[in-house]
Amino acid sequence: MNTLGLRTGPRLIAVGYVVLVLAVALADEIAGHPSALDATMTLISFPGSILVLVTLVYPLAILVGDDTADEEVTSNLLTPLLHGAGALVNVLVVWAVIAFVRHFRNEARRSGR
């Protein structure tokens, strides 16, 4: 166990997942967005990539006053970063759920149930 309450194995799996998503997204970008990978990239980084898009990219585009947020997200290296950030959000959500369940379980044990 470490300070975050995770063993080394799950940490390596989480890092591997984020790195794999980044690598596949970068390969997809280099290949020119073949249609077969579009749905796959959305699926492997869902719902984190949608959360990043809605909470960071769109509000930033509104603050800057740019109407081309969709075009910017689908070009250059922003797409791999979006999917990578989505994968990181997914890892953080899973970590938070596990921490909550552990905390709830420990409190239930302390209460005598």
Side-chain angles (χ1 to χ4, degrees), residues 87-98:
L88 183 62
V89 168
N90 289 341
V91 167
L92 293 175
V93 166
V94 169
W95 173 77
V97 167
I98 290 171

Side-chain angles (χ1 to χ4, degrees), residues 5-91:
L6 293 175
R7 291 183 203 93
T8 305
R11 183 186 294 171
L12 288 177
I13 291 171
V15 169
Y17 166 66
V18 173
V19 169
L20 181 66
V21 169
L22 279 170
V24 171
L26 189 59
D28 180 40
E29 184 65 37
I30 291 171
H33 295 291
S35 61
L37 282 179
D38 287 341
T40 305
M41 288 309 304
T42 302
L43 182 65
I44 64 174
S45 63
F46 183 81
S49 61
I50 303 301
L51 289 171
V52 169
L53 186 68
V54 170
T55 59
L56 294 177
V57 175
Y58 286 157
L60 185 61
I62 291 172
L63 287 175
V64 174
D66 192 5
D67 294 340
T68 60
D70 290 332
E71 294 173 14
E72 288 182 23
V73 172
T74 59
S75 64
N76 297 330
L77 293 178
L78 289 177
T79 302
L81 289 176
L82 175 68
H83 290 299
L88 183 62
V89 168
N90 289 341
V91 167

Side-chain angles (χ1 to χ4, degrees), residues 5 95-111:
W95 173 77
V97 167
I98 290 171
F100 175 76
V101 168
R102 285 180 180 168
H103 176 73
F104 185 76
R105 184 189 63 207
N106 290 338
E107 288 297 319
R109 284 182 184 166
R110 278 187 231 172
S111 69

